[in-house]
Amino acid sequence: MPATSKLCSGVIFVGACGLGGKAFLAGSPSGAALQEPSAALRGAVQKPAQTSAVAQSATAAMTVAGVAVLGSIAASAGRGKVKRASNIACNFNKEAQLGAQAPLGFFDPLGFCENEEKFIDLRQKELKHGRLAMMAALGMLGQSLVQLPGMEGVPKGVTACVSGNGQVGFLLILAIVSGLEAAVFVQDPKKEPGNFGNPLPWWDDYSEEMRARELNNGRIAMFSAIGIISASLYTGKSAAEQFGL
C-alpha cells in the first residue's frame, strides 16, 4: 500500500508539472506578440509562435507519457502483490499432509480443518489420542491375563477402575498421565505435531513411513479401545475372554 501511494503521488506530481509548464508557456507571450507587427515583419513574427505551439505539444506529450509509464508500474506492482498473496494462501495443502492416503485420502467430512492452524491443533490431538488408545488397548488385554500383586480380587474387565484396589491404580495412572501432559510432553511450536523427541534411543527412525505407521496404528487402536470397552460393558467379559481365551 505505501508503494502504491508513492506511485500515485508521482503520477499527480508529473501531471501537475506538465500542466504548469503548459500554462507558463501559454500565459507568457513575447514582446513581439504584444506589438503590432508591420507587414514586412509579419512572416518573421509567426515563426516564434509556431515554435511555442510545438513546445506546448511536446510538453503535453511528455506529461501523457509519464502518466502512462507510472500507471503501468503501479498496475504491475498491484498484480505482483496479488500474485504473492495468492501464493502465500496456497502454500498449505491439507490433502498433501501426512496421513492423507488411500483409500480415503484426506478424510474430513465435517470440515473441521478450515486452515493450517486448526489442522495442526487437531493433528496434535489425533496423535495423543492414538498413542493413548494403543496403550489402553494393550493394557486392557494385559490386565485380563496378568494381575499385579494386591489386585487379585479386582475384576479383569473395564469395571476394575471402580472396584476395590482398582480405584487406587486408576487414580495413580491418571496422576502420572497428568504430570507427563503438563511437564514432559509439551508441544514445541517449532516442531512437527506430536514430536516430543525419541524416548527410545536405540530405535531412531523418524522417517515419513514410520510416522505414517504410528498415525495409522493410533487410528485403529482408537477403534479397538472403544470396541473392547463397549463389549466389556455389554457382555461383562474381559478383553481376553472376548477373544475366547
Side-chain angles (χ1 to χ4, degrees):
M1 183 64 69
T4 305
S5 300
K6 291 181 179 179
L7 288 173
C8 293
S9 301
V11 171
I12 296 173
F13 178 77
V14 172
C17 290
L19 294 177
K22 184 177 179 180
F24 177 80
L25 291 174
S28 301
S30 61
L34 295 175
Q35 298 177 0
E36 184 178 356
S38 61
L41 299 178
R42 186 171 300 170
V45 176
Q46 290 178 353
K47 187 174 181 180
Q50 293 176 356
T51 304
S52 177
V54 172
Q56 294 178 13
S57 300
T59 303
M62 291 176 62
T63 302
V64 173
V67 172
V69 170
L70 292 177
S72 63
I73 294 174
S76 299
R79 286 194 298 268
K81 288 184 177 180
V82 172
K83 187 175 181 180
R84 286 194 297 271
S86 177
N87 291 337
I88 293 173
C90 296
N91 279 342
F92 176 72
N93 183 14
K94 57 186 179 183
E95 284 80 9
Q97 299 301 313
L98 185 70
Q101 57 194 37
L104 298 178
F106 184 79
F107 187 72
D108 184 21
L110 299 180
F112 289 126
C113 299
E114 299 176 355
N115 50 46
E116 184 177 5
E117 182 180 358
K118 289 187 177 181
F119 173 84
I120 293 176
D121 179 62
L122 292 175
R123 174 52 57 85
Q124 293 174 2
K125 294 175 180 178
E126 180 185 23
L127 284 169
K128 285 185 178 181
H129 282 89
R131 291 165 178 172
L132 178 62
M134 286 188 280
M135 291 186 289
L138 184 62
M140 286 186 288
L141 180 61
Q143 77 169 12
S144 62
L145 298 174
V146 180
Q147 286 185 304
L148 297 175
M151 299 291 179
E152 292 81 2
V154 177
K156 297 182 178 181
V158 295
T159 55
C161 62
V162 293
S163 303
N165 291 336
Q167 298 180 10
V168 178
F170 181 64
L171 293 176
L172 181 61
I173 291 174
L174 288 181
I176 295 174
V177 170
S178 300
L180 293 174
E181 176 75 14
V184 179
F185 298 122
V186 179
Q187 179 64 51
D188 185 353
K190 298 180 181 179
K191 296 182 179 180
E192 301 87 354
N195 185 1
F196 301 110
N198 185 15
L200 302 176
W202 59 86
W203 182 265
D204 189 10
D205 187 0
Y206 196 68
S207 62
E208 287 195 3
E209 180 182 359
M210 186 58 65
R211 293 167 60 196
R213 288 182 179 181
E214 180 194 23
L215 192 59
N216 288 330
N217 285 327
R219 290 168 175 173
I220 199 171
M222 285 187 275
F223 285 103
S224 176
I226 292 173
I228 293 174
I229 294 172
S230 300
S232 181
L233 292 175
Y234 181 74
T235 63
K237 296 181 178 182
S238 63
E241 292 174 341
Q242 293 174 25
F243 284 102
L245 300 177

